[in-house]
Amino acid sequence: MKLRSNLLKLALFATGLSGIVAEYVLSTLATYFLGDSVFQWTMIVSIMLFSMGLGSRLSKWFVNNNLLQNFIYIEFILSILAAFVSVITYSASAFYGYVGFVIYIMSIIIGLLIGMEIPLVIRLNDEFEDLRVNVSSVMEKDYYGSLLGGIFFAFVGLPYLGLTYTPFILGSINFTVACGLFLMLRNSLRPQLTLKLSGMSLVVLILLVSGFVFARPIIEYGEEARYQDKIVYQEQSKYQKIVITKTREDFWLFINGNQQLSSIDEVMYHEPLVHPVMKLSKNPQQVLVMGGGDGGAVREILKYDQVENITLVDLDPAMTRLGQTHELLLRMNENALNNRKVEIINADGFKYLEDSRQYFDVIIVDLPDPKTVELGRLYSYEFYRLCHSKLRPNGLIITQAGSPYYAARAFNCIDTTMQAAGFITMPLHNQVLTLGEWGWVMGCKTGTREEIKRALQGLKYEDVETRWINHEAMTLITSFGKEIFPDDHQPVEVNKVHNPVLYKYYLDGKWDLY
């Protein structure tokens, strides 16, 4: 009797682990395909918890003499759904396009099934322990399993197994639980039911093995459908999905499905990002680059002989490793990240600035667009105040700021936030062929906007090797025309850590024009 009770609790510990990881997998998939991580994680987890409550209510309709077999049925179904969640999602994105609907439907169904488990185990364990001990011990095991599941997903599942194979670990856990209960308790089941469950376990095993074998090509096909060109590299790191596509001699770099650069026109992005601020600096010896793991910005910085040290701070070691080793990026960045002047630090940029005692002449912020709260933190008032404190008296900063037309209010918010942090700002823009009209905001600690603009427009580049930017270009990138969309210039709030408005402005942009 004690063995049977412990077996049921062990099963619930395993399913608690599997259940929480299923929530995280679906939330990550929703973020990857639908964007807005805060919204997707909030809604997926909330919907699954609601569905679990509904599943708990529905479990009362299971009669007492069929509890064990119903629990095993639920585990078999869960093992299949949990294992194939990524395969189903990527297939939907490739063939049907209703990926959001599919993700949320799976969240509801998996939540319902998970919700049925705890009441069934409590009822199965009722004959072995009194109610007080039964409920507390069953819930305890489920919550302990959830903790282990979170640790597994954060440190093993996502960074090493990715969204391809982590779901199959979940499916295997549910399958093992079902088979373990079946084998241990088969003598208490009717012979006909034993034969039926044996057949089901064989079918589920075949499905799991087949899915494990064919998951990668199916998911890769679904991933290919998201891009116009052939994928030549992809990696799910601990922090993001990195994809490189290629056609003929050109390649594109994507992070979480969003283009970061194209070899066709990356100079039209990197040169305005780097050269105006480097030229305006009288003696740029110490340069800090936030992000920029592809190496394009560092390549341009190294064209200035005065530079003694470049500190590149990028959260993801997978990205900087790629910039140091991948043949396409090495060709593009001219092996810049392996230069002796470059120090690479894989850390959170905000935390790095808080802890650093170093001061810089130039800070270049080359981060992905602020489309999430997490990224918006690196475009916040608090972040820019830290930058201000780490710049020498004549120091300069420039940040990529998205599109001044597709997301004008987000662009203006970055400008406003930098001004609030103490910078005299100068917005810049350029037509990047594969990105459209793109923008940057430069910040100085002294002077006026008019003085900065005149200084920028007077810059010459005869002494620096560039492919696009020149003296004439400075007149173009420092000048803006009249307003096209009246609502774009409505007042914006300062983006702060405790009031993250920037990502909302960004997501509300006119991206349907892109």
Side-chain angles (χ1 to χ4, degrees):
M1 293 294 186
K2 186 69 173 177
L3 176 63
R4 182 170 175 175
S5 176
N6 289 335
L7 183 62
L8 287 169
K9 293 173 185 175
L10 180 62
L12 203 58
F13 176 86
T15 55
L17 184 157
S18 176
I20 198 73
V21 177
E23 292 183 25
Y24 296 157
V25 168
L26 284 163
S27 298
T28 304
L29 285 168
T31 297
Y32 182 45
F33 282 96
L34 306 175
D36 195 350
S37 60
V38 172
F39 177 83
Q40 299 304 336
W41 276 78
T42 301
M43 293 308 301
I44 292 291
V45 172
S46 298
I47 286 172
M48 288 192 73
L49 289 172
F50 169 78
S51 300
M52 288 166 64
L54 191 58
S56 296
R57 181 175 181 83
L58 294 176
S59 69
K60 70 180 181 180
W61 299 106
F62 294 125
V63 296
N64 287 334
N65 58 340
N66 291 328
L67 293 181
L68 180 59
Q69 70 185 70
N70 286 328
F71 184 80
I72 294 174
Y73 288 154
I74 289 170
E75 292 306 303
F76 279 148
I77 297 170
L78 263 176
S79 66
I80 296 172
L81 283 178
F84 284 86
V85 64
S86 288
V87 172
I88 293 170
T89 301
Y90 276 90
S91 298
S93 71
F95 297 109
Y96 304 108
Y98 301 109
V99 64
F101 176 78
V102 169
I103 289 173
Y104 277 88
I105 286 295
M106 285 193 294
S107 302
I108 293 170
I109 296 173
I110 291 175
L112 284 171
L113 294 170
I114 293 172
M116 294 177 184
E117 294 174 323
I118 295 177
L120 289 180
V121 170
I122 291 175
R123 290 167 65 184
L124 284 165
N125 199 43
D126 187 52
E127 59 181 291
F128 309 120
E129 296 177 338
D130 64 51
L131 182 63
R132 175 176 58 87
V133 176
N134 183 16
V135 172
S136 64
S137 61
V138 165
M139 298 302 291
E140 173 193 30
K141 301 303 183 294
D142 182 68
Y143 295 147
Y144 289 169
S146 296
L147 172 62
L148 184 60
I151 294 172
F152 165 77
F153 184 77
F155 293 100
V156 179
L158 188 60
Y160 294 104
L161 301 174
L163 296 177
T164 302
Y165 295 116
T166 296
F168 284 95
I169 299 296
L170 306 187
S172 299
I173 290 172
N174 290 107
F175 179 69
T176 302
V177 166
C179 290
L181 285 172
F182 171 51
L183 292 174
M184 293 292 292
L185 307 175
R186 65 184 183 279
N187 293 333
S188 63
L189 301 175
R190 300 188 308 275
Q192 189 175 11
L193 180 59
T194 301
L195 184 63
K196 181 179 179 181
L197 290 174
S198 298
M200 287 183 65
S201 63
L202 181 61
V203 170
V204 174
L205 178 62
I206 292 172
L207 285 173
L208 290 177
V209 172
S210 301
F212 185 86
V213 172
F214 295 107
R216 180 173 290 278
I218 293 173
I219 288 177
E220 286 181 352
Y221 181 83
E223 187 75 359
E224 289 268 8
R226 302 191 69 199
Y227 304 96
Q228 294 181 346
D229 305 299
K230 179 178 177 58
I231 294 176
V232 294
Y233 180 88
Q234 59 179 314
E235 177 181 356
Q236 174 66 62
S237 75
K238 183 179 178 180
Y239 303 102
Q240 57 199 358
K241 181 68 175 284
I242 304 170
V243 173
I244 298 177
T245 67
K246 189 173 186 291
T247 179
R248 299 184 182 89
E249 297 302 315
D250 294 305
F251 73 90
W252 283 255
L253 172 66
F254 296 87
I255 291 180
N256 290 338
N258 302 298
Q259 180 185 324
Q260 302 303 300
L261 66 82
S262 168
S263 60
I264 292 174
D265 56 9
E266 54 85 15
V267 294
M268 302 179 77
Y269 170 87
H270 285 124
E271 289 187 356
L273 172 71
V274 171
H275 291 294
V277 72
M278 290 294 290
K279 273 285 186 179
L280 215 56
S281 176
K282 301 303 181 184
N283 192 22
Q285 295 180 346
Q286 305 293 327
V287 180
L288 172 64
V289 180
M290 310 293 280
D294 54 73
V298 173
R299 177 198 66 205
E300 299 302 318
I301 296 168
L302 286 170
K303 294 177 180 179
Y304 293 83
D305 294 335
Q306 311 99 299
V307 173
E308 295 177 356
N309 178 262
I310 302 169
T311 303
L312 186 141
V313 180
D314 193 302
L315 179 64
D316 195 349
M319 187 63 245
T320 52
R321 185 180 65 251
L322 203 62
Q324 290 178 297
T325 60
H326 196 281
E327 60 175 339
L328 292 174
L329 288 176
L330 284 173
R331 189 193 315 158
M332 184 273 293
N333 66 34
E334 299 175 6
N335 202 29
L337 296 187
N338 295 309
N339 189 284
R340 61 178 179 80
K341 292 184 179 181
V342 179
E343 178 188 7
I344 295 175
I345 298 173
N346 294 121
D348 174 76
F350 199 104
K351 187 71 167 58
Y352 170 79
L353 285 175
E354 283 184 321
D355 297 340
S356 176
R357 295 184 178 181
Q358 190 172 356
Y359 292 89
F360 302 93
D361 300 297
V362 174
I363 296 178
I364 295 174
V365 184
D366 185 18
L367 296 166
D369 292 348
K371 59 172 55 181
T372 66
V373 170
E374 299 92 332
L375 284 168
R377 178 168 161 264
L378 297 174
Y379 293 82
S380 67
Y381 167 83
E382 293 82 356
F383 176 76
Y384 293 131
R385 285 301 301 166
L386 284 171
C387 290
H388 195 280
S389 69
K390 299 302 177 183
L391 281 170
R392 293 194 170 100
N394 293 318
L396 299 164
I397 182 175
I398 190 167
T399 179
Q400 90 86 13
S403 173
Y405 293 108
Y406 299 134
R409 300 196 74 203
F411 184 84
N412 294 338
C413 178
I414 294 171
D415 189 5
T416 300
T417 302
M418 289 181 67
Q419 290 180 39
F423 288 109
I424 297 91
T425 62
M426 184 66 215
L428 309 172
H429 70 114
N430 189 35
Q431 177 70 23
V432 182
L433 301 180
T434 59
L435 288 174
E437 194 71 18
W438 220 251
W440 306 264
V441 179
M442 176 189 291
C444 304
K445 300 182 80 169
T446 59
T448 65
R449 178 171 284 197
E450 291 73 22
E451 291 171 344
I452 296 168
K453 186 173 183 177
R454 283 197 300 270
L456 286 170
Q457 292 182 348
L459 293 178
K460 297 181 180 180
Y461 294 95
E462 286 81 0
D463 59 333
V464 180
E465 182 184 347
T466 62
R467 290 172 55 194
W468 179 82
I469 201 167
N470 57 18
H471 173 66
E472 184 180 9
M474 294 311 304
T475 303
L476 301 174
I477 70 174
T478 53
S479 301
F480 288 77
K482 292 183 178 180
E483 302 169 7
I484 296 178
F485 306 106
D487 60 318
D488 284 348
H489 291 270
Q490 292 178 359
V492 293
E493 296 181 65
V494 171
N495 184 50
K496 296 187 176 182
V497 170
H498 66 273
N499 184 32
V501 296
L502 177 58
Y503 87 101
K504 298 176 184 176
Y505 293 142
Y506 182 91
L507 294 175
D508 287 341
K510 298 175 175 61
W511 294 108
D512 54 326
L513 301 176
Y514 179 57

